[in-house]
Amino acid sequence: RRKEFLDILCEYGADNIYKAAAMFQTGTDIQKAEQILLKMLGGVNAREDCSDFCFIVILYIYKKFYKDLSEKAAVNYRYWIDEPGDDVMWFFSENHALLFHICQYLAGRYFPKQVFTNSGRIGQEVKQHGEELLNEWFDAFFEEFVTEWNSNAYIPIDVHGFGFLYNLTDKDTPLHEKAKKALDMVAYSITMNAH
């Protein structure tokens, strides 16, 4: 079923970052996948609103399939409100904060020695700052649970982030375990509310 889903997405899906990820996963039309990826990178480089939704998938593609991804997007991005920038990105909701922190953590991890031009930090410092922000985010989440309560638009974005964090961190590390706990909490809540 998983393969069938990926094949259908590759053939009929809209030309977006999810289709590109499916194409890399299946090895389908890599040239087209690269074109989609470059188009999506344009929105990240321009710091468009909701670019964090796309950027997390781009970092996943980079890690899993496509090591030639330019580091330009990672080192020039604005990861949080404590960094300079004049853009239209929205940082203040639960789901955006989660994705920005995950992107910051992963980008710093993948490019540990590069200077991140927007913050002036090197990658290792970017990773550490992202990890600190993620730990604060999870502390609040585990205490309050979903603050955008019962939102069919925003809970999937949280799950999106938890899944990427779970899949891109080493087992038995604190962030891996927190992502697992959060996924379990959301799944339990959805199950209880569905029945």
Side-chain angles (χ1 to χ4, degrees), residues 63-134:
K63 179 65 175 172
K64 292 292 187 180
F65 310 111
Y66 197 68
K67 297 295 183 186
D68 294 330
L69 178 68
S70 167
E71 63 191 60
K72 177 186 172 192
V75 299
N76 291 329
Y77 199 61
R78 181 179 181 211
Y79 289 99
W80 194 235
I81 55 176
D82 59 2
E83 296 182 9
D86 183 18
D87 50 61
V88 297
M89 296 193 297
W90 182 256
F91 293 96
F92 300 100
S93 61
E94 174 181 271
N95 59 350
H96 283 286
L98 174 65
L99 294 189
F100 277 113
H101 300 337
I102 293 171
C103 288
Q104 184 174 25
Y105 172 78
L106 293 175
R109 184 175 169 200
Y110 298 158
F111 303 103
K113 295 181 179 174
Q114 283 82 343
V115 174
F116 281 60
T117 57
N118 198 56
S119 67
R121 297 179 175 118
I122 62 166
Q124 183 59 36
E125 295 169 321
V126 169
K127 174 190 171 211
Q128 183 179 349
H129 187 54
E131 187 170 2
E132 290 167 2
L133 292 170
L134 272 170

Side-chain angles (χ1 to χ4, degrees), residues 29-40:
D29 200 351
I30 297 301
Q31 187 174 6
K32 179 166 184 172
E34 289 173 341
Q35 291 170 350
I36 295 169
L37 179 62
L38 288 173
K39 181 179 177 188
M40 297 288 108

Side-chain angles (χ1 to χ4, degrees), residues 135-150:
N135 283 322
E136 289 175 17
W137 190 96
F138 276 116
D139 287 346
F141 182 81
F142 294 144
E143 184 177 329
E144 301 173 27
F145 193 49
V146 179
T147 57
E148 293 169 313
W149 184 79
N150 220 14

Side-chain angles (χ1 to χ4, degrees), residues 2 91 170-171 173:
R2 188 174 295 167
F91 293 96
D170 297 327
K171 288 185 178 179
T173 58

Side-chain angles (χ1 to χ4, degrees), residues 138 141-142 145 158-167 176-190:
F138 276 116
F141 182 81
F142 294 144
F145 193 49
D158 287 353
V159 170
H160 181 78
F162 301 149
F164 281 113
L165 191 61
Y166 181 82
N167 284 309
H176 183 83
E177 293 301 316
K178 288 178 181 183
K180 181 184 184 307
K181 180 179 177 181
L183 284 166
D184 289 344
M185 287 172 69
V186 170
Y188 178 80
S189 175
I190 289 170

Side-chain angles (χ1 to χ4, degrees), residues 23-65:
M23 294 170 98
F24 281 115
Q25 177 72 39
T26 60
T28 305
D29 200 351
I30 297 301
Q31 187 174 6
K32 179 166 184 172
E34 289 173 341
Q35 291 170 350
I36 295 169
L37 179 62
L38 288 173
K39 181 179 177 188
M40 297 288 108
L41 270 171
V44 171
N45 288 330
R47 299 182 186 174
E48 294 176 357
D49 189 31
C50 295
S51 60
D52 50 316
F53 293 6
C54 177
F55 193 34
I56 195 169
V57 185
I58 291 171
L59 289 169
Y60 175 81
I61 290 170
Y62 170 77
K63 179 65 175 172
K64 292 292 187 180
F65 310 111

